[in-house]
Amino acid sequence: MSKYIDKELAEQIKQEAKLFDVIEEFVTLKKKSANTFTGECPMCHKKDALNVNTKKNIYKCFKCDWGGNNPVKFLEESQNKTYNEALTIMADKT
């Protein structure tokens, strides 16, 4: 059962969560360049297809074209979680 998280707390969690840190919890990332890391895409499972750019704060798979810049959406889609479940995971880590 999902915990209910009010809007104010949800916004605080989203502001404190770092996209790279959230992704790194679920994907083993290797440094590719100064601001870019690569790892296996959790959607298509292609090795080194997922790129995470810490400067631009985005993730993108160059095999299946999946990507974005929202850590909540990353958890919802890659881990098959609801919005509240994703926020709870992020809250536990921040």
Side-chain angles (χ1 to χ4, degrees), residues 44-57:
C44 70
H45 305 287
K46 299 291 183 189
K47 186 178 178 182
D48 296 330
L50 184 69
N51 282 266
V52 180
N53 186 302
T54 56
K55 187 173 183 179
K56 294 179 181 177
N57 204 38

Side-chain angles (χ1 to χ4, degrees), residues 17-87:
K18 303 220 181 324
L19 180 65
F20 177 85
D21 295 339
V22 171
I23 294 173
E24 192 176 39
E25 286 290 319
F26 299 95
V27 178
T28 302
L29 296 171
K30 297 180 284 184
K31 191 168 185 126
K32 183 177 180 181
S33 66
N35 301 311
T36 306
F37 294 79
T38 62
E40 181 179 315
C41 176
M43 301 304 277
C44 70
H45 305 287
K46 299 291 183 189
K47 186 178 178 182
D48 296 330
L50 184 69
N51 282 266
V52 180
N53 186 302
T54 56
K55 187 173 183 179
K56 294 179 181 177
N57 204 38
I58 58 172
Y59 60 95
K60 172 83 171 169
C61 175
F62 289 103
K63 297 292 182 183
C64 69
D65 203 34
W66 176 67
N69 63 357
N70 184 332
V72 176
K73 196 59 121 174
F74 175 86
L75 288 173
E76 287 177 308
E77 294 175 354
S78 71
Q79 304 302 307
N80 197 27
K81 301 292 184 189
T82 66
Y83 178 78
N84 278 345
E85 288 170 334
L87 283 175

Side-chain angles (χ1 to χ4, degrees), residues 4-15 87 91:
Y4 172 75
I5 299 175
D6 66 37
K7 287 183 180 184
E8 187 176 305
L9 181 57
E11 287 306 312
Q12 181 182 355
I13 292 167
K14 287 190 247 180
Q15 287 177 0
L87 283 175

